């Protein structure tokens, strides 16, 4: 009787196993592997240039991934995005927080993924999976970790959230969700104005006044609370 040998595991099997077994994060059964949001975490999504400015302000934010769109970057939808993991339920709070901060539609580039959504499974750092150190993932993959998760340290109370326990983090210093959204909305607005200024070759006001000019605030009819946070 012929012996039936098991089929070799694909690199994506190792990816799925690492997220599910090491981190306890549910994934989809499809390929490429995707992570389900709204269960263990939600995601704040913003343009990469705005997100990098937020990372400089907040050295500890929880895991952060870079999402590559594959476009030429000329259109907003083609530009890379930063995905910041926040506590589950944060996506539902985002609209209310933006209204309270008086950003309104000014922060249209700042969105969230929550219950019923998903995100690409980023390539995890080399050496984090003993079974497959490189896991077949590289720079061509859809997403990669900027600040990778650490097994055992990314429980629900270690991600940015609001209310009791906000900002605890696995090493301290993680901003609460309101402050993180405030910084992200500010940087998204700045990045959008700078892109618009570059497209029009308008240097009349310079970078700083353009990003926070009185004219831009008056035209929107708001003076965001975030400027005081």
């Amino acid at each position: 009787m012929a012996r039936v040998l098991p089929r070799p595991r694909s690199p994506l099997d190792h990816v799925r196993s690492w997220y599910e077994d090491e981190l306890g994060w549910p994934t989809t059964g499809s390929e490429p592997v995707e992570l389900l949001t709204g269960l263990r975490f939600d995601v704040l999504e913003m343009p990469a240039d705005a997100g990098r400015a937020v990372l400089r302000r907040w050295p500890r934010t929880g895991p952060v991934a870079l999402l590559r769109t594959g476009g030429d970057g000329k259109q907003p939808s083609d530009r890379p995005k930063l995905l910041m993991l926040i506590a589950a339920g944060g996506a539902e709070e985002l609209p209310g927080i933006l209204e309270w901060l008086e950003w309104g539609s000014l922060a249209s580039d700042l969105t969230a993924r929550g219950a019923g959504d998903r995100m690409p499974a980023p390539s995890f750092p080399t050496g984090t999976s003993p079974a497959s150190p490189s896991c077949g993932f590289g720079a061509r993959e859809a997403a990669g970790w900027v600040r990778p998760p650490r097994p055992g340290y990314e429980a629900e109370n270690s991600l940015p959230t609001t209310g009791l326990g906000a900002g605890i983090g696995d090493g301290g210093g993680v901003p609460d969700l309101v402050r993180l959204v405030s910084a992200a909305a500010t940087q998204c607005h700045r990045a959008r104005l700078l892109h618009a200024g570059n497209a029009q070759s308008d240097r009349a006001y310079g970078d700083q006044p353009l990003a926070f000019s009185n004219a831009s605030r008056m035209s929107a009819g708001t003076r965001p609370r975030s400027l005081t946070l």
Side-chain angles (χ1 to χ4, degrees):
M1 183 175 181
R3 182 180 179 182
V4 179
L5 298 177
R7 297 179 61 184
R9 298 185 66 186
S10 71
L12 292 180
D13 290 330
H14 291 294
V15 173
R16 184 176 289 106
S17 175
W18 189 80
Y19 280 110
E20 293 182 348
D21 299 338
E22 297 294 329
L23 296 179
W25 292 355
T27 67
T28 62
S30 60
E31 295 186 4
V33 182
E34 294 180 300
L35 305 177
L36 299 178
T37 59
L39 300 175
R40 295 294 304 276
F41 58 86
D42 285 355
V43 171
L44 280 183
E45 182 172 345
M46 67 198 75
D49 48 358
R52 292 188 186 99
V54 176
L55 297 185
R56 288 193 293 270
R57 178 175 178 181
W58 297 107
R60 298 179 184 272
T61 58
V64 178
L66 176 66
L67 178 62
R68 307 176 184 90
T69 61
D72 57 10
K74 294 182 179 180
Q75 299 298 324
S77 59
D78 293 334
R79 297 174 189 142
K81 307 286 186 180
L82 268 182
L83 308 180
M84 296 186 178
L85 271 59
I86 58 177
E92 296 181 6
E93 297 184 55
L94 179 61
I97 293 175
L98 289 173
E99 287 298 322
W100 183 81
L101 291 172
E102 299 179 6
W103 275 108
S105 61
L106 284 175
S108 58
D109 294 338
L110 180 61
T111 58
R113 305 187 187 200
D117 293 329
R118 58 189 66 185
M119 63 172 281
S123 54
F124 41 82
T126 301
T128 54
S129 174
S132 183
S134 63
C135 300
F137 269 50
R140 288 187 158 184
E141 296 304 320
W145 287 112
V146 177
R147 292 179 178 173
R150 291 189 292 157
Y153 286 89
E154 302 305 338
E156 284 78 358
N157 66 349
S158 70
L159 298 174
T161 185
T162 57
L164 185 63
I168 292 177
D170 64 330
V174 174
D176 63 81
L177 185 58
V178 173
R179 290 183 181 275
L180 182 60
V181 169
S182 172
T186 300
Q187 296 302 331
C188 284
H189 182 60
R190 177 199 289 268
R192 185 166 62 254
L193 290 175
L194 289 177
H195 279 298
N198 290 338
Q200 298 171 7
S201 299
D202 182 1
R203 305 299 187 200
Y205 296 104
D207 290 348
Q208 183 68 11
L210 175 63
F212 294 99
S213 65
N214 290 331
S216 68
R217 300 307 184 188
M218 292 173 63
S219 65
T222 62
R223 185 181 183 278
R225 297 173 188 260
S226 59
L227 294 179
T228 62
L229 289 179

